[in-house]
Amino acid sequence: MSTGVPPEVLLVMPARPEGVGVVRQALAGVADALDFDASVLADMKMAVTEACTNVVVHAYDDEGMLEVEMLAGEDGLTIVVRDFGTGIQPRPARSGAAALGLGLPLIAALSDAFELRGSAGTGTEVRMTFAYARETDPAEVNPVPGTIGNDGRWDPDA
């Protein structure tokens, strides 16, 4: 019996590694209900895993919460991964490597739309949308502008 109401899921849990698997399973269920193509589901799982892992590894000095929201809209599924931790902050570069790493550019390349919100001390929200029907590879049309500035905020113009 279908009610015609698109799925909406909110998961709130401690930011621990085992929670990432729970989020992936919930995502698989939602994607199945929405009849996503397997290749798009693979992109969603990788992007969401990366965003959740960032929360587990970087968001808190001690303990904190991971929040994941999945919202089905007319054109696609929007997934929001948020924390209430230290926010995105510049990290010392190790052996000359970029301080940001590959996580956020990877998420942006896999998703059809990507937005990063937050600042140092206020937590972070990664919002990614995956279209039901893709005509092109999002990595070709969704380059990631910007980097993290000296103040710890994302600077889209850098």
Side-chain angles (χ1 to χ4, degrees):
M1 179 176 122
S2 175
T3 60
V5 177
E8 186 173 318
V9 175
L10 176 62
L11 302 169
V12 181
M13 65 190 73
R16 292 199 283 258
E18 58 271 20
V20 178
V22 172
V23 173
R24 284 174 57 96
Q25 288 298 316
L27 175 60
V30 170
D32 186 50
L34 295 171
D35 200 28
F36 268 96
D37 182 74
S39 66
V40 180
L41 175 58
D43 286 354
M44 282 194 283
K45 282 184 171 181
M46 186 175 290
V48 170
T49 297
E50 183 62 37
C52 290
T53 300
N54 281 347
V55 172
V56 170
V57 174
H58 300 294
Y60 301 102
D61 292 329
D62 193 12
E63 294 181 6
M65 300 303 284
L66 164 65
E67 191 172 287
V68 180
E69 195 171 2
M70 301 178 201
L71 307 161
E74 285 185 29
D75 299 325
L77 179 65
T78 297
I79 304 160
V80 182
V81 176
R82 67 176 65 90
D83 66 70
F84 306 95
T86 56
I88 294 177
Q89 299 183 34
R91 303 232 181 256
R94 292 186 200 102
S95 67
L100 179 58
L102 297 175
L104 295 173
L106 175 66
I107 293 167
L110 292 170
S111 57
D112 294 291
F114 169 82
E115 188 179 350
L116 182 67
R117 297 178 182 169
S119 61
T122 64
T124 303
E125 178 178 291
V126 176
R127 179 177 295 264
M128 51 204 128
T129 300
F130 298 87
Y132 298 126
R134 283 185 171 172
E135 296 176 16
T136 60
D137 181 347
E140 295 174 7
V141 295
N142 194 25
V144 186
T147 189
I148 296 174
N150 292 333
D151 62 355
R153 295 176 183 263
W154 187 261
D155 182 355
D157 300 321

